[in-house]
Amino acid sequence: MLFQLVKNNNSIPILYYIGVMPMLSLISYGRSPHAFEHLYAEQSFSFYHTNKWELVIRYCKRTKVDGILFNDHTTIVQPMISQLKQMNFTGLIVQNHKNTVTLCYYNQKKTIIHKESKTFRLANQIFVFLLNYQTPNLPSECSFSKIPFIGSSESILDIKSKICSYAKSKEPVLILGETGTGKNIVAKCLHEFSDNTGDFMNINCSAINENLFESELFGFKRGSFTGAFKDRAGLLEHAKDGTLFLDEVGEIPMTSQSKLLKVIEEKEYYQIGSYQQKKTNARIISATNKNIFSEVGTFRKDLLYRINTLVICIPPLREHVEDIPELVYSYLSSNYPEFTITEESLEIMKAQSWPGNVRELFSFLARCAIFFQKSKNISVNSQIFDTLYMQYNTFHTM
């Protein structure tokens, strides 16, 4: 790739291709367009400026946008960035706040501390970043930006990478993690990005009576037991060429585990009360919050060896607290878009252990939204946190 650096009248270096000059489309958003005025004159960019967020969304949906430049406070911008991610926006995001410019593309970030009064005298750096960035080497059908599992820490990126790697496989997957960490979301992602043409069927193994588990899973024929007034298809038949998700797989009755093993190994099963063998191509995905590897006598080892062909371990929230701001902004933008939150509140939340993980964090945010419904600004100090968290503290100490 041939290019050269030249200077304009203001002695600011700008990158130009020798021969062909690509035109990059950027949107600037903020209360004042003056922060971006230096870029307006550059021939390498086409600009559209607005202070109305709905116009930004409409523009992104109507045409290809290479980047969006924000010039506003962090707590205002973050919910908007979360909305862009939900739209699968893959352009450059530039955030300008307090002389700190952050360039974000997918999950890569580059922060520039710029001391000049006009922070956005950075045309060359933005241009080079756009031209030289390469998309991560992922399957075309599955990319980090499309996976609705929130977070950009190293552990969460590893989970997203495994989702992309495992999605096309037909092998069983075991998802491990504490309650509230998002095991169900991972299972749905594996199904969504797979080549399966069938449905996603979910069975909570801990919520079904032991005597009813096999009838739910395999189905039954009319007259096979008291109350069986007509034939009924099981979840395996409904899943067909799709995915069967066994949530809390450690709760499967011992009497049913051998039959499930046959399904995984031979892709065959019998309905209750039938001698006709049925076949299934459903992929088995399991999840548990228990350490089933140590539960000798309650879970068959041969079944365990089959369901854990591929394993995804989701860490508890206390082990990746750096993702809490992104989780908070995503939740607020989806459920309370009119709310903002202070940096102090985020720091207090990052200091907590959250035994209920993401589910508990979201419940706490819902309580905050009610507490601060008049000001529409979540401002939590230590005293307010203790007040709003008291119910959870009481529950966890019972």
Side-chain angles (χ1 to χ4, degrees), residues 106-107 136 138 142-148 157-158 160-161 164:
Y106 283 94
N107 294 292
L138 300 171
C142 178
S143 64
F144 284 8
S145 63
K146 294 181 180 180
I147 298 176
L157 292 182
D158 180 64
K160 292 181 179 182
S161 178
C164 290

Side-chain angles (χ1 to χ4, degrees), residues 320-335:
H320 59 107
V321 294
E322 63 268 33
D323 290 322
I324 285 180
E326 190 172 346
L327 287 163
V328 170
Y329 290 131
S330 176
Y331 179 83
L332 292 179
S333 64
S334 298
N335 299 277

Side-chain angles (χ1 to χ4, degrees), residues 36 53 55 61 63-65 72 80 93 100 109 141-142 163 216-217 232 246 275 281 293 299 320 324 335 370 372:
F36 311 102
W53 180 243
L55 296 181
K61 291 180 177 179
T63 185
K64 180 182 180 299
V65 176
D72 223 324
M80 300 175 180
I93 297 174
T100 301
K109 293 184 178 180
E141 297 84 355
C142 178
I163 290 174
E216 288 289 325
L217 187 61
R232 180 180 175 183
L246 302 171
Y275 296 100
N281 288 320
F293 296 93
F299 201 87
H320 59 107
I324 285 180
N335 299 277
I370 296 174
F372 295 101

